[in-house]
């Protein structure tokens, strides 16, 4: 999913730190690449988190016109598909694992967008 903000005058390096902290607080290992006009944050779940794959967030643009893109790897969907294909051989557990991972990723994304909105409001108001 991708969202865009115009006219907010947000410090994008500071916003990228907020994104990094969000994932660290959720127990992910985080790496960040880039500088203006693109910041890329990759987050990998710790073993046992129930999430298959990784998350990538891109912050693109300038302080007054930027977008944030949240994307996940296709591992959860692939696990579900493989599980369906191998169901007759006991692949049902793969289906369940993939579905649970997708559910956790959806919840993570919901929480992420709430966090980003709050961070943008904070970073916008801190300039006044």
């Amino acid at each position: 999913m991708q969202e865009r903000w115009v006219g907010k005058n947000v410090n994008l390096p500071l916003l990228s730190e907020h994104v990094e902290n969000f994932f660290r607080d959720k127990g992910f290992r985080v790496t960040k690449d880039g500088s203006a006009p693109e910041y890329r944050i990759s987050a990998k779940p710790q073993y046992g988190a129930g999430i298959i794959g990784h998350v990538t967030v891109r912050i693109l643009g300038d302080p007054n016109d930027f977008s944030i893109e949240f994307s996940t790897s296709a591992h959860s969907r692939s696990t579900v598909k493989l599980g369906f294909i191998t169901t007759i051989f006991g692949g049902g557990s793969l289906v369940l694992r993939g579905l649970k991972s997708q559910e956790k990723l959806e919840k993570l994304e919901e929480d992420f967008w709430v966090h980003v909105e709050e961070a943008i409001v904070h970073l916008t108001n801190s300039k006044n």
Side-chain angles (χ1 to χ4, degrees), residues 17 26-28 30 37 51 79 81 87 97 110:
E17 288 179 28
K26 298 281 186 184
F28 284 72
V30 180
I51 294 176
T79 302
K81 288 177 186 175
T87 299
R97 188 170 159 221
E110 285 176 26

Side-chain angles (χ1 to χ4, degrees), residues 38-127:
E38 179 180 349
Y39 300 87
R40 179 186 299 266
I41 297 103
S42 297
K44 295 180 182 172
Q46 298 292 332
Y47 180 77
I51 294 176
I52 303 167
H54 64 277
V55 175
T56 302
V57 173
R58 293 175 51 207
I59 302 172
L60 307 154
D62 63 69
N64 280 311
D65 184 4
F66 64 95
S67 60
I68 299 176
E69 179 183 293
F70 182 100
S71 60
T72 59
S73 64
H75 287 69
S76 292
R77 290 183 298 279
S78 298
T79 302
V80 171
K81 288 177 186 175
L82 180 62
F84 279 128
I85 293 169
T86 61
T87 299
I88 60 172
F89 302 110
S93 64
L94 286 176
V95 173
L96 182 60
R97 188 170 159 221
L99 290 173
K100 285 184 177 183
S101 175
Q102 284 179 328
E103 184 178 303
K104 288 181 180 188
L105 282 169
E106 288 172 9
K107 175 67 174 137
L108 179 71
E109 185 172 4
E110 285 176 26
D111 293 347
F112 171 79
W113 289 115
V114 168
H115 179 81
V116 165
E117 287 288 347
E118 290 172 355
I120 290 172
V121 166
H122 173 74
L123 292 171
T124 302
N125 289 338
S126 66
K127 292 177 176 95

Side-chain angles (χ1 to χ4, degrees), residues 9-54:
N9 195 27
V10 171
N11 181 327
L12 298 183
L14 196 52
L15 179 60
S16 70
E17 288 179 28
H18 279 268
V19 170
E20 283 182 85
N21 291 336
F22 168 81
F23 286 109
R24 283 197 180 101
D25 291 346
K26 298 281 186 184
F28 284 72
R29 286 173 286 143
V30 180
T31 57
K32 183 169 85 171
D33 302 328
S35 58
E38 179 180 349
Y39 300 87
R40 179 186 299 266
I41 297 103
S42 297
K44 295 180 182 172
Q46 298 292 332
Y47 180 77
I51 294 176
I52 303 167
H54 64 277

